[in-house]
Amino acid sequence: MSEAVNGMTRQMGDALQQFQSLQIPGDVWQQLQQDYLSQAGALWNRALHAPHDGKPTELPPLQDKRFADPSWNSNRLSHFSAELYLLNARTLQRMAEQVSGDNKTRARLRFAVQQFIEASSPSNFLALNPEAQQRALNTQGESIARGVQQLLADVQRGHVSQTDESAFEVGRNVATTEGHVVFENEWFQLLEYKPLTTDVFERPLLMIPPCINKYYILDLQPENSLIRHAVAQGHRTFVVSWRNPDAECVHWTWDDYIEQAAVKAIEVVQAISGSKTLNTLGFCVGGTILATALAVLAARGQQPAASMTLLTTLIDFENNGVLDLFVDEPSVQMRDVTIGAQAPNGPGLLHGQQLASTFSMLRPNDLVWNYVVGNYLKGEPPPPFDLLYWNSDATNLPGPMYCWYLRHTYLQNDLKHAGRVTVAGEPLDLSLVRAPVYIYGSREDHIVPWEAAYRSTQIFKGRKRFVLGASGHIAGVINPPAKKKRSHWIGKGSALPAQPQQWLAAATEHPGSWWTDWADWLASHAGTLKPAPKTPGRGAFKPIEPAPGRYVKERA
């Protein structure tokens, strides 16, 4: 074990040399070295010198959840390795903050350093993890055997297991709200849900979830289903269930997702409901697709949306946090020539596991290393958790569609500029969409920072309402009122200043879910009540199969 600790020290020395080649101001560099040597010396001295009275020295508690087990404090060498690691981590982070360069380069360096730091934690290695070692002794090696078995099983799956995937089945114990598929084409199935009320609002509600995930994040369990909540509020609810693209779909484009999916879904809902206007909701990339489709229809002189709800959605891609680090001209060109429409070997797929791995690395401790330690070092099978089952149910994307999206959103930020791009044959101008807009952001969102979601308030010209929820990208959205958890912020009056922090300074925090505020807002745009339909579909749009349908069950 001491050799492993010495290895960590050598790694730190190598990292120091690499940082020195980057431009850190000399006085700052000198101060960093002095601080590190001083603190490292103090650690060594405390570790090497036994107490004079023979009594064990009380070690300071480790302020990191990875080292919360008592074994890290009871074993002096383990405690030292953890303290040395934390010192190294703090020093590397300080150095990364001081490197000269443009903002994107510095941000990429900080991200890379954080990945290295979290991967090199002593808790991630059996030789340095006293808790895993003790478990191996207590179980006479069974925990290691189970860990190896789980590692081999995950190699077969192609990803680190975050939950017991055998505990769930789509349509059996997730995605169970009753409904029917009433339309399908190559790109999607349209689900219509059975009313839960005697009367429904005259205007239907169409939800478009992200195509990079399965729709049932909106319908995990009856008690936390946003879909069921909408149905229970009296909305005749329709949901797009995306097809999981395979080799037959590699030619699909962004225009296809707009024209053949979003626009088509709007037309079918109009035909089935008999209503010329409908309420619409888009979540994450689904919101980007929805807004683009409504702008295309607006360019054709159509305004089918009585309202538009955007949940953690990017429209203005100017500054989007850590995801920006992955996108630049060379990276987009690389995608173009490997899976894009003009790729020398023909278009291809972006496989779902690639996307899932990228998102996991945004929170590596929680979504990667936590499970490496639990699954493999301790031999603990991950417990069943519906949200993490959904998270592991990956979705592919067609290369041409993905390349267009990367270039015209994250790289060039074209969508917010009127006429800069043509979609489905129409110059795109989002300001033509006249529907009132409900815009929601999550305050701790690492995928769509709430400030980025807020910037949509400056793009649309209709009446707008912005609400900020607590927690992250998923937990902030999926927050049913009955749980009485978290909180949300509502602005003062209708003012939506250009700067999000100015809005927040004047906003008021309210306990509980934002769903109740949204339900009231949505009802005001839903029209009058009328008797609920007794059967799903209408005319040519007859029920095809029960919800959740076939498409959502296709695995990547």
Side-chain angles (χ1 to χ4, degrees), residues 182-461:
V182 291
F183 173 82
E184 66 179 49
N185 62 15
E186 286 187 63
W187 290 268
F188 74 103
Q189 289 186 314
L190 184 68
L191 311 179
E192 180 183 358
Y193 288 91
K194 182 179 179 180
L196 294 173
T197 53
T198 303
D199 296 319
V200 296
F201 290 106
E202 62 178 328
R203 293 194 185 101
L205 170 64
L206 170 65
M207 296 184 178
I208 300 184
C211 55
I212 62 173
N213 298 109
K214 302 291 182 69
Y215 85 86
Y216 63 88
I217 185 58
L218 300 173
D219 189 31
L220 283 174
Q221 302 293 334
E223 61 270 17
N224 65 3
S225 169
L226 184 61
I227 290 173
R228 186 178 181 85
H229 181 76
V231 176
Q233 296 292 312
H235 298 282
R236 189 175 183 184
T237 303
F238 297 80
V239 175
V240 166
S241 175
W242 297 100
R243 180 177 173 186
N244 199 344
D246 55 24
E248 297 179 357
C249 313
V250 295
H251 58 282
W252 289 359
T253 65
W254 180 258
D255 280 12
D256 289 328
Y257 274 73
I258 302 304
E259 189 77 79
Q260 306 299 336
V263 170
K264 186 63 178 179
I266 290 170
E267 293 173 349
V268 173
V269 172
Q270 287 174 314
I272 291 175
S273 67
S275 175
K276 293 182 179 180
T277 57
L278 61 154
N279 291 307
T280 60
L281 178 149
F283 180 17
C284 189
V285 180
T288 310
I289 291 173
L290 170 63
T292 302
L294 291 178
V296 166
L297 291 173
R300 297 172 182 172
Q302 303 174 43
Q303 297 284 344
S307 75
M308 175 169 61
T309 298
L310 299 178
L311 306 180
T312 59
T313 292
L314 288 173
I315 301 296
D316 181 346
F317 289 75
E318 180 180 351
N319 183 5
N320 304 303
V322 70
L323 284 180
D324 281 344
L325 306 182
F326 297 94
V327 183
D328 57 15
E329 183 62 40
S331 68
V332 174
Q333 287 184 3
M334 184 272 291
R335 292 294 187 186
D336 282 334
V337 300
T338 53
I339 61 173
Q342 305 304 319
N345 295 323
L349 289 176
L350 178 74
H351 293 284
Q353 194 51 50
Q354 291 179 263
L355 276 176
S357 297
T358 298
F359 287 124
S360 291
M361 296 315 293
L362 300 182
R363 294 170 54 203
N365 267 346
D366 294 332
L367 298 178
V368 179
W369 298 111
N370 173 55
Y371 297 101
V372 168
V373 172
N375 296 2
Y376 313 147
L377 271 60
K378 299 180 187 178
E380 298 173 339
F385 187 14
D386 53 8
L387 177 60
L388 292 178
Y389 173 79
W390 166 83
N391 191 56
S392 68
D393 195 359
T395 309
N396 301 324
L397 288 178
M401 174 269 190
Y402 179 68
C403 292
W404 191 101
Y405 176 71
L406 276 186
R407 176 169 297 281
H408 293 289
T409 58
Y410 282 97
L411 183 63
Q412 297 177 184
N413 194 17
D414 288 332
L415 299 188
K416 77 169 188 176
H417 298 285
R420 185 179 283 188
V421 291
T422 297
V423 178
E426 306 293 345
L428 193 71
D429 183 355
L430 292 167
S431 69
L432 296 178
V433 179
R434 297 303 180 190
V437 188
Y438 189 102
I439 301 167
Y440 169 85
S442 289
R443 193 165 186 177
E444 299 163 34
D445 195 336
H446 60 289
I447 296 173
V448 180
W450 80 266
E451 297 90 342
Y454 179 86
R455 288 199 298 271
S456 296
T457 63
Q458 309 302 303
I459 293 174
F460 297 103
K461 302 305 181 185

Side-chain angles (χ1 to χ4, degrees), residues 39-63:
Q39 294 176 65
L43 287 180
W44 277 108
N45 288 334
R46 187 169 64 211
L48 295 176
H49 290 85
H52 297 296
D53 57 6
K55 296 180 180 179
T57 303
E58 185 173 341
L59 299 172
L62 296 164
Q63 303 298 321

